[in-house]
Amino acid sequence: MKTICISNQKGGVGKSTIAVHLAQHIIEKNNRVLFVDIDPQANASKTIRQISDVLPVDASQLFTDELDDLAEGTGAISLIQADEKMADIERSDPNVLLTFKKNLS
């Protein structure tokens, strides 16, 4: 499994656009994608949900809840949507990153 992260602190530089197009390119090569949108604006989620399986968990839950089992989607792209609670994550205890990492693995 490979992990690709598209990140930049500045807004409006094309992060969502690049991420969506990269996911599309990867599935065209017969690979599967888990698309995790952690941008509270959720622009990528709005686009990707049209062509993906939306998983029954929001991105903010990955940082705060101990998830026992994250169900897999059956399509080429599985989406964990961003939600408005993501705006508060950066003010959380830094240990939430450990929970995020555990939940994704």
Side-chain angles (χ1 to χ4, degrees):
M1 175 181 75
K2 294 184 180 187
T3 302
I4 301 172
C5 177
I6 311 296
S7 175
N8 193 318
Q9 288 296 103
K10 185 177 179 325
V13 296
K15 297 178 295 288
S16 295
T17 301
I18 290 170
V20 167
H21 285 276
L22 183 59
Q24 183 68 36
H25 175 74
I26 291 169
I27 65 170
E28 287 173 358
K29 300 292 183 186
N30 295 319
N31 294 297
R32 295 180 65 207
V33 172
L34 172 61
F35 196 104
V36 181
D37 186 2
I38 61 171
D39 184 347
Q41 290 182 354
N43 291 327
S45 292
K46 292 170 189 166
T47 301
I48 289 289
R49 85 172 73 141
Q50 298 175 34
I51 60 169
S52 70
D53 292 335
V54 178
L55 299 181
V57 62
D58 290 327
S60 64
Q61 290 176 273
L62 295 174
F63 291 88
T64 60
D65 296 340
E66 295 288 329
L67 301 175
D68 292 329
D69 186 22
L70 187 59
E72 285 187 32
T74 57
I77 299 179
S78 297
L79 171 65
I80 296 178
Q81 298 186 92
D83 60 300
E84 64 278 350
K85 293 178 186 173
M86 286 305 304
D88 297 326
I89 293 293
E90 65 185 29
R91 291 185 283 278
S92 298
D93 182 328
N95 288 324
V96 300
L97 295 176
L98 298 174
T99 303
F100 176 74
K101 183 178 178 182
K102 179 181 177 274
N103 284 330
L104 283 183
S105 63

